[in-house]
Amino acid sequence: MDNSVTEVTTIGSTHSPPSMGHDETKAVKTLRLISIFFLFCVIPIAIGVYLYTANAEDEEFENQYFEFANKVLESIGATLENSFGALDNLATSVVAAAHAANQTFPNIRVANFGIHAAKTLSLSRAKIIVMCPVVKGGQFEAWHNWTLQEGRTWVDETVNVQKTDPNYFGPIVEEYLTRDEIHTRNGATEAIGVHLPSWQAYPIVPTWPPYNYDYITGLTYTTAHTEMLEKGSIVITTPYLNPDPNDEAAMENAISTAGWLYERLHPDEEPLEPASDLYFPIFDDLNTFETDTSKTSPVATFGVTFYWRDMIRDILPESAKGILVVVDCPCSASFTYRLDGSETTLMGRGDLHESKYNDMELTSVITQLDSFRIRQTSYSGPGLDDETCPIAFRIYPSQATEDQYMTNNSLIYSGFTVLICLTAALLFVIYDRYQERRQKVFMESAEKNDAVVSALFPAAIREKLYANQQTQREMEKKGGGMRALDGNNAPIAELYTDTTVMFADIAGFTAWASAREASDVFTLLESIYFEFDLLAKKYRVFKVETVGDSYVAVCGLPEPRKDHAVVMAQFSAECRDKLVGLTKELAKSLGPGTESIKMRFGLNSGPTTAGVLRGERSRFQLFGDTTNTAARMESTSFPDCIQASQKTADLLVEAGKSSWITKRNDLVAAKGKGNMVAYWVEPSGTVKRDSLSESRRVALRQFGVPEDRLEHLIDFNTEILDHLLLDLMVYNKTVDAAQAKSGRKVIRREDSSEEMKRYGFDRTTPRESVLEVIPIPKLDDKQDSPKRKSSTDKALDMKVKNQLHDFVTQVAHYHSNDNPFHNFDHATHVAMSVRKLLARILKPLHQQEVSRSNNGSRSVASKAAKFDKILRSTYVLTSDPLIQFAVYFSALIHDARHPGVSNGTLSNEGNEMAIRFNHKSCAEQNSVVVVWDLFLSDRYDALRDAMFGGNMERLRRFRQIVVNSVLATDIFDRELRDVRERRWTKAFSDDDVSALSTGSQEMESVEGDLRATIVIEYIIQASDVVHTMQHWTVYQRWNKRLFCEMMSAYQAGRADKDPSEGWYGGELWFFDNYIIPLAQKLKECGVFGVSCDEVLDYARDNRLEWEQKGKEIVKQWMEESS
């Protein structure tokens, strides 16, 4: 209701405190304009500083980028030349080894080839190196014989090298397939022409035979081989493994081509990135390397496979970010790499640089990379072919590169310049700003205070109050004060001759509030008086105050008006009508009985003295006979009636509203006034209050109008269970998720008729199912309640909602309307008490509270620890929605099918119910069985699934709580009562708690369950008789109903003794031996905090009042029944 409070405080005219003086304000504005002009003069300077700094950053960015770009091209060239040099050295070693062994090409085998090749791979950053001799048509047979003789020898030798090579990563070939003839994938090649069969290689690839695969006819790069053989130059093939991601065939082909690489790359290396093959010619004449290679033909070649990423990695310092390298090839698609320090990342296929950096491009063809070299190279081997698909490199910066150099320095320097130039002006601006803010705070505070004052005082009175405060402050400055007798300090009071005062009071409010939480009481009052305040604003009626549940208003002051009586009558009638709809709406959340709330209204007209009693918490008040008489009119009125004095009635007649009033047949006995004539007021003129007899009004005043509330009770209880069920569903989902995360399996079963039979009462009775200790889920020590998502933004599935409403409806009809006491109205009353007591269970002590106790005496620390242990075992009742749902459920069903007589009567009659349940707790057991059979029927399958989610363990625990709770309401079963007494002593007496506290963790868990079980049972026991611990009016209403029920049984011949003969003494005995001891136990256990003081006080007060009035009340009941 926060909004209502805000709305109400704005009613009335507003007053603004005096603003700053005109001259001061003008001076401040002038100085502010001068400062602004000075600021504008400095702006050009700041812009110049900004442009200079920004240009410097641009220049630094460009210089650093070109430095990085040149370094990239230089490093690529250096890497390639290092690779060429390594291959050149290997070629020299191969030729020298062949000559030393008197071997001639192609029939050569280099010993320890794998060792030399491994070193070459490391230097050249390649993945595989294969030596391919040139075999011509006439050499086929000799070559085949040579490979048959020497093939396995070098393969086994190379495999052994792989096993010891620390740089090798991949599988080791243990078994392999050989082919001694030159072949391709399509079979053996023809013995004509020139061929390049694979021979010695490193590493050995197990996916194909290790040698004799023809590189001339078996690969797609025939042009590259031809150029190499014809020109004797190094050839780099067109990049491959760069497929279009949208071309499925190209992707499959690339994956197939790179298949042998997957197991030979480290996990952080991607196989599908652009790669090329490099063919390096080998010449038989060692001197050829020093001469023109175009004059002789190669006798073999090295085939080397490398990734382009390896050519450009580890080039730049870590400070370099976002340098893009675009690799272009006229024979295939280009691709783009991004360099971030030593890291190289493939951005994708194509040229992916940003077009805004086109003018910063730095490019070079691969054969011209030597132009970027700073130092001279010593390489003098074969040159790189510059005609076969020449590859080019283009370098660009990116936004990431630019962001490194585009800082806020220009803004900082500009701002610093402005700061230096305008220190004085800015200091003034800052000072002015703080002054303005300070003034704004004062103004806002003054406006808030004024809004509150406006709601409490009329405008004229408010102005006098402000003036009085100013005078008071001036006197205090002079060292003195003001008293009421001072001539300068006249009281703030005035006589208003023509006013009408209204008093309104809620009938039976104290009794209604005794059954509610404090928050419910304030919700009711705030809701009602918020609406009344709006109506007061509408009618220009001044609200004086609210005292408790009384509302006081006046019309005719401070603004005089002739129609004050008419306006106040209309205002009262509309307040009364507004209350009817409002209480019906509030009953949905505040419970039954709320819709029956009525108000008494009293009106009186005449002169009124109004003013302010100054001092602490001063307020506007009314004084005089007019006000007192209005209060008497209200106190002697009836609920839902507007009663007016003779003076008000005369004014209404003068205003032509005689049809609005009806004279009371009797005189009103007003305290301090004697007997007075009074009138009923009904502005609509449609209802004559005297049409109701005076005896009927007395009945209305005492007991309220009888009405069928069954549908309302059903809707109210359905709404409560709806919220509890939503909480339960969210809680179950949270628990299941936590169990799944921890690896615990959640067992679920299908909710079928056969499965449900296991949880019925076909094989046992509810009383036999009562457990001394119900296992209760534990509350985590690290939290006060399980952390779960809120259910406030959720709603039940419509099928579940309909089944829930239908179930509550059936339960309601299981209660007999012929029973004045054991009916659904009483079940709802019990359920409301259960809800209230559950909400009052205290939280466990915070650890610091226990620690603070430990700093005191040993006995205090011990008690704090014990009390905390008790609270930890009982507070879980409020954190487990299943328990809350089950206990509320139990309260609703505990009197279902109640026969209207006691269990003793049923046993004496030999009733079938008594025989079935062995003459023990007959009515209670019957209620459990009939409702449980209904609950397990197929018509409520969706409701059960929502409650338990297929978890039969939850259903079992729910059933156990219901059984224990309902059977606990049989307070006359001596055996069950004695068991509960023993458990109470064990769980909550100081000595037994001390003994329990020294047990094991498992024992403490059982003891905690024992306490929780007892609290559940005592909650429903106390709720079943809660009317004896509430306001006297509530106690008498239900006490009379129980008396009438017992009298009906006696008159029907079902009871041997007239209840009136022992009712008076029986109630006293019941208070002394059950009600007050029960209330004391609720207080002594400490679980409910100080809230149980209220329960115990009501019980004692009711007992005392019954002792004084009980005999006359029983006598009156007997007269009414006769």
Side-chain angles (χ1 to χ4, degrees), residues 466-480:
Y466 284 143
N468 182 265
Q469 288 177 340
Q470 180 66 26
T471 304
Q472 178 75 21
R473 284 194 294 269
E474 292 175 357
M475 293 294 293
E476 289 176 353
K477 289 180 180 179
K478 296 177 180 180

Side-chain angles (χ1 to χ4, degrees), residues 823-842:
N823 52 35
F824 193 61
D825 198 353
H826 178 254
T828 302
H829 189 76
V830 174
M832 289 174 61
S833 175
V834 163
R835 185 181 175 211
K836 180 177 179 179
L837 287 174
L838 280 172
R840 290 189 173 187
I841 293 178
L842 295 179

Side-chain angles (χ1 to χ4, degrees), residues 298 409 462 492-493 560 674 692 910 1034 1092 1097:
N409 288 343
R462 187 175 63 245
I492 303 176
L692 300 174
V1034 179
C1092 280
D1097 290 343

Side-chain angles (χ1 to χ4, degrees), residues 205 278 302 334 576 584 730 751 780 839 963 974 1000 1016 1120:
V205 178
L278 182 152
F302 287 134
S334 58
R576 182 193 60 193
K584 286 183 179 179
V730 173
D751 183 347
D780 190 345
V963 168
R974 181 172 298 176
S1000 64
I1016 289 174
E1120 293 177 3

Side-chain angles (χ1 to χ4, degrees), residues 781-1082:
D781 290 339
K782 297 180 180 179
Q783 57 187 30
D784 288 339
S785 61
K787 297 187 183 298
R788 58 185 185 270
K789 295 181 180 178
S790 172
S791 62
T792 55
D793 57 344
K794 301 180 182 299
L796 287 180
D797 178 78
M798 189 54 63
K799 183 178 180 181
V800 176
K801 198 176 187 72
N802 291 338
Q803 288 191 9
L804 178 62
H805 186 275
D806 180 70
F807 178 77
V808 176
T809 302
Q810 292 300 317
V811 170
H813 288 294
Y814 275 10
H815 291 74
S816 174
N817 287 332
D818 295 332
N819 294 340
F821 185 83
H822 292 98
N823 52 35
F824 193 61
D825 198 353
H826 178 254
T828 302
H829 189 76
V830 174
M832 289 174 61
S833 175
V834 163
R835 185 181 175 211
K836 180 177 179 179
L837 287 174
L838 280 172
R840 290 189 173 187
I841 293 178
L842 295 179
K843 290 183 178 182
L845 298 176
H846 290 293
Q847 191 61 43
Q848 56 265 32
E849 296 178 41
V850 179
S851 300
R852 279 199 299 270
S853 299
N854 291 338
N855 295 331
S857 66
R858 181 174 300 179
S859 61
V860 172
S862 176
K863 287 183 179 179
K866 294 171 191 173
F867 187 48
D868 181 62
K869 194 179 294 292
I870 290 174
L871 294 183
R872 286 200 171 274
S873 59
T874 56
Y875 182 65
V876 69
L877 302 181
T878 67
S879 63
D880 185 350
L882 181 66
I883 296 176
Q884 296 183 58
F885 193 98
V887 179
Y888 194 92
F889 179 97
S890 303
L892 283 185
I893 74 166
H894 79 285
D895 280 337
R897 298 292 193 205
H898 196 283
V901 295
S902 66
N903 288 329
T905 299
L906 293 176
S907 295
N908 293 336
E909 292 176 346
N911 189 284
E912 179 184 351
M913 190 187 304
I915 296 172
R916 177 181 180 184
F917 298 114
N918 198 24
H919 302 278
K920 293 183 178 181
S921 304
C922 311
E924 290 77 16
Q925 293 196 77
N926 184 63
S927 296
V928 173
V929 170
V930 296
V931 175
W932 195 255
D933 287 344
L934 173 69
F935 180 67
L936 294 187
S937 62
D938 292 340
R939 65 192 292 183
Y940 302 118
D941 55 347
L943 174 60
R944 288 193 303 273
D945 184 64
M947 292 173 62
F948 311 119
N951 189 321
M952 295 298 108
E953 172 59 25
R954 289 178 184 146
L955 174 61
R956 183 202 63 75
R957 188 159 61 89
F958 178 80
R959 175 184 182 271
Q960 191 62 59
I961 296 171
V962 171
V963 168
N964 272 50
S965 299
V966 176
L967 269 292
T969 62
D970 184 5
I971 61 176
F972 295 108
D973 188 315
R974 181 172 298 176
E975 182 180 343
L976 290 178
R977 187 173 67 245
D978 291 343
V979 170
R980 284 193 291 269
E981 287 293 333
R982 289 195 302 271
R983 288 188 298 166
W984 176 275
T985 303
K986 182 179 179 181
F988 289 105
S989 69
D990 288 342
D991 294 338
D992 286 293
V993 170
S994 300
L996 294 176
S997 301
T998 60
S1000 64
Q1001 185 174 357
E1002 181 177 357
M1003 180 64 71
E1004 287 187 4
S1005 176
V1006 174
E1007 293 154 2
D1009 292 347
L1010 172 62
R1011 295 189 192 101
T1013 303
I1014 293 171
V1015 171
I1016 289 174
E1017 294 177 353
Y1018 272 85
I1019 283 175
I1020 199 163
Q1021 277 188 331
S1023 298
D1024 195 30
V1025 292
V1026 73
H1027 60 281
T1028 64
M1029 308 175 200
Q1030 293 175 341
H1031 190 269
W1032 169 258
T1033 305
V1034 179
Y1035 164 55
Q1036 281 307 293
R1037 181 168 70 249
W1038 291 105
N1039 192 24
K1040 181 179 180 180
R1041 291 186 180 188
L1042 183 58
F1043 175 83
C1044 292
E1045 185 171 298
M1046 300 293 286
M1047 181 59 71
S1048 297
Y1050 171 72
Q1051 293 172 348
R1054 300 190 69 183
D1056 297 331
K1057 186 177 180 181
D1058 184 347
S1060 65
E1061 295 177 1
W1063 198 265
Y1064 171 75
E1067 283 293 289
L1068 293 178
W1069 181 92
F1070 193 50
F1071 270 111
D1072 293 337
N1073 294 275
Y1074 183 73
I1075 298 300
I1076 293 178
L1078 177 60
Q1080 287 174 329
K1081 285 180 179 178
L1082 293 177

Side-chain angles (χ1 to χ4, degrees), residues 638-709:
F638 296 146
D640 207 31
C641 295
I642 304 171
Q643 184 172 245
S645 66
Q646 181 70 59
K647 292 182 179 180
T648 303
D650 291 343
L651 291 174
L652 292 175
V653 171
E654 289 178 9
K657 306 297 182 182
S658 57
S659 61
W660 288 10
I661 60 175
T662 303
K663 186 177 181 181
R664 283 189 64 159
N665 293 333
D666 58 337
L667 295 177
V668 174
K671 180 180 178 182
K673 305 290 290 184
N675 294 329
M676 298 182 65
V677 176
Y679 294 81
W680 300 119
V681 178
E682 185 60 49
S684 64
T686 57
V687 177
K688 294 289 186 179
R689 289 292 161 176
D690 262 356
S691 63
L692 300 174
S693 66
E694 202 63 32
S695 61
R696 177 59 171 158
R697 289 196 207 97
V698 173
L700 282 171
R701 181 173 62 184
Q702 290 181 346
F703 304 115
V705 180
E707 60 178 336
D708 182 8
R709 302 196 303 164

